[in-house]
Amino acid sequence: MIEQDALVIATYSRRMQLLLPDGRRVDARIKGKRLKPVCGDHVEAGPIPGEADWLITAICERRNQLTRPNLRGKIEVLAANVDTLLVMAAATPEPDWSIVDRYLCAAELIGASAAVVFNKVDLPCPEGVDEILDDYVRIGYQAVRCSAKTGRNIDAVTGLMRDGVSIIVGQSGVGKSSLINRLLEDDRLRVGAVSEKSGEGRHTTVNSAMLQLPGGGAVIDSPGVRDYAPALQADEVVVGYREIAAAAQACRFANCRHLREPGCAVKEAVEKGTISKRRYDSYRHLLALTAKLTGGQY
Ligand code: GDP
Ligand code: ZN
């Protein structure tokens, strides 16, 4: 069996669809029980002689992975090699910006880029949104206001996704599925079509798919990714707020938590207004929350 690099573009429990370097799409099984490829994985695979299926024999090293603890407390990988997190908020439900901050924090930690997408601009906008979005831009995140319903500014959203692999995260009801549907324009682009052709009844519903976008780039969509809520540790929060991490270089203590420590450059920056009070409060809130969950003291 001659193996080559392939990309996992859909998963159906233990069955996968692969995109080969020559553009072909093939169905694949996985060698052994240990190997757990996910959407976005680069794998080594080869054709099984006499069968239509390919066999995945190894997973190439992941640049990053999106994880969550499953019901048994084990770490479950939702997607791999993600380039961009689009963090969505909307006019309704009432935006919870600390949740947006939490996703941005997760993006920093896995080394993915991130942008804020504010959806449902066809509806009346809650007060203060512009200032908050401007704050994100000030610290280097792109922020796009759009409507998945009317199509307004969707070009700007696709512009954020043109390079590499994206995922869309955010509170339930903000319009993630609506945005994906609009981005795809055409249902035929969906990868789910593998299911029918084998006729052996072995395929089940697709549980994760990487959808190629017409304008370039791809988006990984799955129920798990849509429900993804990052589980963060307190020491991760400290590095995940990028402007706070940058200012912290000048704190007197290297392990400063920016709470009550003397010589804290972060608190100074908040007083001067160069770090937004809202982001700082969000940082403290998340730090307290993670510390409580892990039994730490901050
Ligand atoms: P998800 O839970 O984030 O996937 O959100 P959905 O895509 O299911 O959308 C939740 C609700 O918001 C649905 O009733 C959508 O029709 C609606 N919705 C999504 N985008 C827009 C938008 O741009 N404007 C308006 N007015 N409603 C939207
Ligand atoms: Zn400090």
Side-chain angles (χ1 to χ4, degrees), residues 88 119-123 146-150 170-179 226:
M88 207 166 185
N119 187 37
K120 309 195 191 183
V121 290
D122 56 294
L123 298 178
C146 72
S147 171
K149 186 177 176 186
T150 66
Q171 276 172 275
S172 170
V174 291
K176 298 180 293 292
S177 320
S178 308
L179 176 64
R226 260 179 260 145

Side-chain angles (χ1 to χ4, degrees), residues 251 256 258 264-265:
C251 289
C256 188
H258 327 306
C264 175

Side-chain angles (χ1 to χ4, degrees), residues 100-264:
V100 172
D101 291 335
R102 207 175 298 188
Y103 287 114
L104 294 176
C105 199
E108 297 285 337
L109 292 165
I110 67 167
S113 64
V116 180
V117 174
F118 188 81
N119 187 37
K120 309 195 191 183
V121 290
D122 56 294
L123 298 178
C125 206
E127 236 174 88
V129 168
D130 286 339
E131 288 80 359
I132 290 171
L133 293 179
D134 286 349
D135 267 343
Y136 285 125
V137 172
R138 217 154 46 91
I139 57 174
Y141 293 107
Q142 296 194 66
V144 169
R145 299 155 175 83
C146 72
S147 171
K149 186 177 176 186
T150 66
R152 175 140 172 240
N153 252 352
I154 294 300
D155 286 357
V157 179
T158 50
L160 298 171
M161 308 173 85
R162 204 153 21 219
D163 301 315
V165 175
S166 302
I167 56 167
I168 302 172
V169 296
Q171 276 172 275
S172 170
V174 291
K176 298 180 293 292
S177 320
S178 308
L179 176 64
I180 285 177
N181 286 332
R182 178 162 282 273
L183 291 175
L184 289 172
E185 293 168 346
D186 185 338
D187 271 351
R188 282 171 301 175
L189 290 164
R190 290 190 172 272
V191 182
V194 246
S195 320
E196 276 79 43
K197 69 178 179 215
S198 85
E200 291 183 45
R202 59 189 177 174
H203 292 290
T204 50
T205 36
V206 60
N207 53 31
S208 175
M210 182 190 288
L211 312 162
Q212 307 294 326
L213 299 171
V219 58
I220 294 179
D221 185 34
S222 75
V225 167
R226 260 179 260 145
D227 294 344
Y228 168 68
L232 299 164
Q233 310 282 328
D235 51 348
E236 297 177 320
V237 176
V238 178
V239 295
Y241 281 67
R242 57 163 63 160
E243 76 283 35
I244 291 178
Q249 302 292 321
C251 289
R252 184 181 305 165
F253 302 112
N255 62 351
C256 188
R257 300 282 165 180
H258 327 306
L259 299 175
R260 289 169 295 272
E261 296 90 337
C264 175

